[in-house]
Amino acid sequence: MLINDGGIEMRVTVFGATGRTGRLFIKKALLKGHEVVAFARSPEKITFQHERLTIIKGTLSDIDAIEKAVKDTDAVIELIGAVSEGTANIVAAMQKHNVRRLIALSAISHQDALDKRDFQRALINGIVKLTMPKLVKEVSKAAAIIRESELDWTLVRVPSLKDNGSSSYVKVGSYGRGEVGFQLSRADLSQFMYEQLTDQKYIRQAPAISS
Ligand SMILES: NC(=O)c1ccc[n+]([C@@H]2O[C@H](COP(=O)([O-])OP(=O)(O)OC[C@H]3O[C@@H](n4cnc5c(N)ncnc54)[C@H](OP(=O)(O)O)[C@@H]3O)[C@@H](O)[C@H]2O)c1
């Protein structure tokens, strides 16, 4: 990690780099002076180039490619959340190469001890469970793998994502306490993930966030 101009320049590896939030995150990190390693199964979807951007092609079962992407990085951003085999491989690669900081996406369905009962959340989760049962199971498995790891993890629990809107203030808290809502813009998600690179507050925690 390099210290420069009062800021911290980091090498950050991004999984889910080709997605809508992934691309926003990469542009932000590059703009702020960081070095970015983008892991992608379809690198052609990243249509911009930068001298501090490295793209590594691979699938989430390609252990060699995952290790190459995480080796010597300062932090890993995981914007997939529902491919538990991939999460297991990323966590194992990080542990092998002594990379500690993992900021990973999770979802509204993932329960945290600080949550209280919430009718609207229960309704949303009920519908998602009915329509996408496999997705819900994968989110739960992926989160359990991260929680059981020795890493400095943060599980960022998100509701429904939308493209429009960027607030200057992202709500952070637990469900059932009136602290967070049920809509989140990808710009706000990307901003919150970015802030976690230098913020220790949510290490080994699973904050729920909303716009
Ligand atoms: N849409 C919602 O309301 C919502 C709600 C909660 C959570 N999420 C999750 O939040 C994340 C970010 O959302 P987004 O809308 O910005 O993402 P997105 O545009 O849908 O992109 C998803 C990213 O994950 C990658 N990915 C998905 N499955 C993969 C797999 N099996 N192997 C390798 N890469 C895989 C995609 O790679 P390719 O480009 O190669 O496909 C892409 O980079 C997503 O993972 C999504 O599932 C979404």
Side-chain angles (χ1 to χ4, degrees):
M1 195 184 296
L2 304 164
I3 309 289
N4 161 314
D5 288 342
I8 301 172
E9 286 179 9
M10 304 172 82
R11 182 177 168 94
V12 184
T13 300
V14 182
F15 291 89
T18 52
R20 287 160 287 183
T21 312
R23 283 174 299 188
L24 285 178
F25 179 90
I26 291 170
K27 285 180 182 167
K28 184 187 295 290
L30 290 171
L31 198 69
K32 298 280 186 182
H34 302 289
E35 203 179 312
V36 176
V37 179
F39 187 90
R41 57 183 174 179
S42 316
E44 67 282 359
K45 288 189 183 172
I46 301 173
T47 52
F48 49 92
Q49 294 181 336
H50 195 286
E51 57 184 9
R52 280 182 275 104
L53 173 64
T54 305
I55 300 174
I56 294 184
K57 182 178 165 103
T59 65
L60 292 172
S61 46
D62 185 345
I63 289 164
D64 287 345
I66 292 173
E67 285 195 12
K68 196 171 156 201
V70 306
K71 192 171 178 284
D72 297 327
T73 204
D74 293 306
V76 171
I77 298 285
E78 202 253 83
L79 283 161
I80 299 172
V83 183
S84 64
E85 181 207 358
T87 301
N89 290 338
I90 293 165
V91 166
M94 289 179 69
Q95 290 181 154
K96 181 171 173 186
H97 293 283
N98 290 319
V99 176
R100 293 203 57 82
R101 187 72 174 113
L102 172 63
I103 302 147
L105 182 126
S106 187
I108 184 172
S109 60
H110 180 59
Q111 184 70 17
D112 183 74
L114 296 176
D115 292 331
K116 288 187 168 174
R117 285 163 78 94
D118 183 291
F119 177 73
Q120 195 174 346
R121 179 188 181 210
L123 194 66
I124 294 167
N125 282 343
I127 294 167
V128 177
K129 216 171 178 174
L130 261 180
T131 51
M132 294 180 276
K134 188 164 176 261
L135 184 92
V136 173
K137 272 191 191 148
E138 281 295 291
V139 166
S140 167
K141 261 173 102 172
I145 290 164
I146 291 171
R147 282 181 184 273
E148 284 160 18
S149 78
E150 300 285 312
L151 301 176
D152 291 339
W153 53 265
T154 299
L155 275 168
V156 181
R157 296 186 297 153
V158 305
S160 168
L161 299 178
K162 56 190 173 89
D163 275 327
N164 55 322
S166 158
S167 42
S168 51
Y169 177 73
V170 179
K171 293 178 188 162
V172 188
S174 304
Y175 291 114
R177 296 170 180 268
E179 295 168 343
V180 288
F182 297 98
Q183 291 251 314
L184 176 66
S185 74
R186 291 181 172 88
D188 284 347
L189 171 57
S190 148
Q191 176 62 24
F192 184 79
M193 297 289 249
Y194 179 76
E195 286 168 7
Q196 302 320 301
L197 292 175
T198 50
D199 195 341
Q200 315 273 303
K201 188 172 173 190
Y202 298 109
I203 285 183
R204 299 189 76 80
Q205 291 189 42
I209 66 169
S210 73
S211 292

